[in-house]
Amino acid sequence: MIFVPLPFVVALLLAILLVRMLRQEDWRARERQPFMFLIGVYALQSVFIGIRWGYEILAIMPAQSITAALIPAIAWISFRNLTLEEPLRLTRLWPHALPAATIALMLAFWREPMGFVLIMIFIGYGVALFWLARRGPDGLIASRLDGTLLSYRSLLITATAVVAGGLSDVFISLDFERSGGAHAASIVAFGNVIALLILGGAALVAGTNQSAEELAAEMTVNPAPTEEDGSAAAALDALMQSKAIYLDPDLNLNRIARKLGLPARRVSMAVNRIHGMSVSQYVNAFRIRHACDALAATDHPVTRVMFDSGFISKSNFNREFARVTGESPTEFRRRAENQPQQDRDEARVAFVLP
């Protein structure tokens, strides 16, 4: 029977994911391209691990070490781009090639401390990723609002995985010191199983009903609003009502801030302090109100109403609709059909922004 190492299965799953990403136009945006590169490096590293630990081919170790040093740097670049108004330029990325270059030089001239350096690279970038997450979902200003919460959860999961990768190297190093590496293969295999569990956990988190409001409430306590907050919130309210920019499915915090001529952080704080919600919730409230009008006034399919209202994810649409109205789109339409127009208007006003 042919033996197929578990890392090869991981590599195949990642390759399938990469192909799907390449076929989607959304992933061609400049700020998202590093994520595709990251998935490709993940897949390559899984192949290297399978060759090394599945078939005991030691010659692959130098390539495996260099690739390992690239992973946390690319992960940081990928998520860092989502926090900036403009993606990082190539001229500003060269410092993040230094970890891999350092490992390459150490392979040639001084291998002894290489394991420790790799551990520090992983833990250092893991801490840096957690630092990116300190502002919550609204810190990812370049992420489409329909997927901001998912992007934020992915950031937290990636940060945890990078730190865990560094800690696994610690256990492998200890194993080589104490038993000559007798358990190293099992540790690496277990690490790949954990990676699969993390990916599955990410899918589970993405499908959970926890709202952005609940997540924000767990993370931050907003101070009292200032006069500047009120002015920014009023300008945003006027923009949303006059231009209906919430119908743009690619809308993000960065675009909103540009239209207002304000820093993205200022817009985020104003919405949080004045309306007591995240920017994605604020925009989704307008989208849900638009969807309710369409559901009550037309016989268009729910899916069409979803797209026309600025949503692109059915699960997110259903979750936000239930959060705002307390019922599903189908239930809302069924109830609206049996209500007079005045009652419909009163019901709609009940969940308009505060």
Side-chain angles (χ1 to χ4, degrees):
M1 183 175 179
I2 299 176
F3 169 65
V4 179
L6 177 61
F8 285 176
V9 178
V10 176
L12 177 61
L13 294 174
L14 292 171
I16 293 173
L17 177 60
L18 180 60
V19 170
R20 292 186 61 183
M21 293 168 67
L22 289 170
R23 295 176 63 182
Q24 295 177 1
E25 187 174 352
D26 287 351
W27 287 100
R28 298 175 188 174
R30 183 181 168 191
E31 65 272 10
R32 298 183 184 182
Q33 291 176 355
F35 284 100
M36 292 193 292
F37 188 45
L38 179 62
I39 294 296
V41 175
Y42 278 150
L44 181 62
Q45 181 70 345
S46 290
V47 171
F48 289 160
I49 292 174
I51 294 173
R52 164 62 181 91
W53 298 103
Y55 299 112
E56 296 293 335
I57 299 178
L58 301 182
I60 201 68
M61 288 186 66
Q64 179 187 341
S65 299
I66 294 173
T67 307
L70 281 173
I71 287 176
I74 299 172
W76 185 87
I77 291 170
S78 299
F79 284 101
R80 176 58 172 161
N81 276 343
L82 295 183
T83 69
L84 300 173
E85 295 185 1
E86 294 290 341
L88 291 168
R89 297 181 180 180
L90 291 177
T91 54
R92 297 184 61 185
L93 296 181
W94 67 266
H96 300 285
L98 292 178
T102 300
I103 294 300
L105 290 174
M106 296 184 75
L107 284 166
F109 301 107
W110 192 28
R111 295 195 175 195
E112 285 77 9
M114 190 176 67
F116 175 76
V117 173
L118 274 173
I119 292 170
M120 291 297 98
I121 291 172
F122 270 79
I123 294 179
Y125 273 105
V127 171
L129 285 165
F130 277 119
W131 181 252
L132 286 181
R134 73 191 186 281
R135 293 182 177 177
D138 285 348
L140 304 179
I141 63 174
S143 177
R144 190 178 58 230
L145 289 176
D146 192 43
T148 298
L149 185 56
L150 176 58
S151 297
Y152 182 72
R153 288 166 173 165
S154 297
L155 169 57
L156 293 177
I157 291 171
T158 301
T160 303
V162 169
V163 172
L167 295 178
S168 68
D169 285 341
V170 172
F171 289 120
I172 292 173
S173 299
L174 292 174
D175 181 62
F176 271 101
E177 289 181 5
R178 297 180 179 181
S179 63
H183 307 96
S186 298
I187 294 174
V188 172
F190 179 75
N192 276 270
V193 172
I194 293 298
L196 282 175
L197 292 176
I198 289 176
L199 291 174
L204 178 63
V205 168
T208 186
N209 288 325
Q210 183 185 20
S211 67
E213 182 179 11
E214 292 169 342
L215 184 61
E218 293 172 1
M219 295 185 52
T220 60
V221 177
N222 291 323
T226 64
E227 184 176 346
E228 189 177 6
D229 293 329
S231 298
L236 179 56
D237 291 343
L239 176 65
M240 298 294 279
Q241 294 171 8
S242 63
K243 301 296 184 180
I245 61 174
Y246 52 86
L247 298 180
D248 179 6
D250 292 322
L251 187 66
N252 58 37
L253 177 55
N254 188 29
R255 292 187 181 183
I256 294 174
R258 285 183 176 180
K259 290 181 182 294
L260 292 173
L262 296 172
R265 184 61 177 165
R266 164 52 51 197
V267 176
S268 173
M269 288 193 303
V271 173
N272 291 341
R273 293 173 180 177
I274 298 297
H275 295 298
M277 60 180 69
S278 68
V279 175
S280 61
Q281 284 181 299
Y282 172 84
V283 172
N284 284 340
F286 281 95
R287 289 172 171 172
I288 295 302
R289 185 171 63 182
H290 181 274
C292 287
D293 288 341
L295 289 169
T298 72
D299 59 356
H300 294 159
V302 174
T303 301
R304 176 178 172 180
V305 170
M306 176 191 78
F307 287 125
D308 289 347
S309 301
F311 289 95
I312 64 171
S313 167
K314 186 176 181 180
S315 61
N316 190 44
F317 173 63
N318 290 334
R319 180 174 61 249
E320 287 297 287
F321 200 99
R323 179 183 65 82
V324 174
T325 69
E327 56 191 341
S328 70
T330 303
E331 292 170 341
F332 178 88
R333 167 172 275 173
R334 186 183 302 115
R335 184 172 57 81
E337 290 174 348
N338 298 323
Q339 285 183 330
Q341 185 62 43
Q342 181 178 356
D343 290 344
R344 295 183 194 177
D345 293 339
E346 291 177 355
R348 187 170 72 90
V349 169
F351 58 84
V352 173
L353 291 171

Coordinates of all heavy atoms in Angstrom, one line a residue, residues 50-59 185:
G50 N 6.3 16.9 4.2 CA 5.9 15.6 3.8 C 7.1 14.8 3.3 O 7.3 13.6 3.7
I51 N 8.0 15.4 2.5 CA 9.2 14.8 2.0 C 10.1 14.5 3.1 O 10.7 13.4 3.2 CB 9.8 15.7 0.9 CG1 8.9 15.8 -0.3 CG2 11.2 15.1 0.5 CD1 9.4 16.8 -1.4
R52 N 10.3 15.5 4.0 CA 11.3 15.4 5.1 C 10.9 14.3 6.1 O 11.6 13.4 6.4 CB 11.5 16.7 5.8 CG 12.2 16.7 7.1 CD 13.6 16.1 7.0 NE 14.2 16.0 8.3 CZ 14.2 15.0 9.1 NH1 13.5 13.9 8.8 NH2 14.9 15.0 10.3
W53 N 9.6 14.4 6.6 CA 9.2 13.6 7.7 C 8.5 12.3 7.3 O 8.4 11.3 8.0 CB 8.4 14.3 8.7 CG 9.1 15.5 9.3 CD1 9.0 16.8 9.0 CD2 10.1 15.4 10.3 NE1 9.9 17.6 9.7 CE2 10.6 16.7 10.6 CE3 10.7 14.4 11.1 CZ2 11.5 17.0 11.5 CZ3 11.6 14.7 12.0 CH2 12.1 16.0 12.2
G54 N 7.9 12.4 6.1 CA 7.2 11.2 5.5 C 8.2 10.2 4.9 O 8.0 8.9 5.1
Y55 N 9.2 10.7 4.3 CA 10.1 9.7 3.6 C 11.6 9.9 4.0 O 12.5 9.3 3.4 CB 10.1 10.0 2.1 CG 8.7 9.8 1.5 CD1 7.9 10.8 1.0 CD2 8.1 8.5 1.4 CE1 6.7 10.7 0.5 CE2 6.9 8.3 0.9 CZ 6.1 9.4 0.4 OH 4.9 9.2 -0.1
E56 N 11.8 10.7 5.1 CA 13.1 10.8 5.7 C 14.2 11.3 4.7 O 15.3 10.8 4.7 CB 13.5 9.5 6.4 CG 12.7 9.0 7.5 CD 12.7 9.9 8.7 OE1 13.8 10.6 8.9 OE2 11.8 10.0 9.5
I57 N 13.8 12.2 3.9 CA 14.8 12.7 2.9 C 15.3 14.0 3.5 O 14.7 15.1 3.5 CB 14.1 13.0 1.5 CG1 13.6 11.7 1.0 CG2 15.1 13.7 0.6 CD1 12.8 11.8 -0.3
L58 N 16.5 14.0 4.0 CA 17.1 15.1 4.8 C 17.5 16.2 3.9 O 17.7 17.4 4.3 CB 18.3 14.6 5.6 CG 17.9 13.5 6.7 CD1 19.2 13.2 7.5 CD2 16.8 14.0 7.6
A59 N 17.8 15.9 2.6 CA 18.3 17.0 1.7 C 17.3 18.1 1.5 O 17.7 19.2 1.0 CB 18.6 16.3 0.3
A185 N 9.1 13.4 14.4 CA 8.2 13.1 13.3 C 6.7 13.2 13.8 O 5.8 13.7 13.2 CB 8.5 11.8 12.7

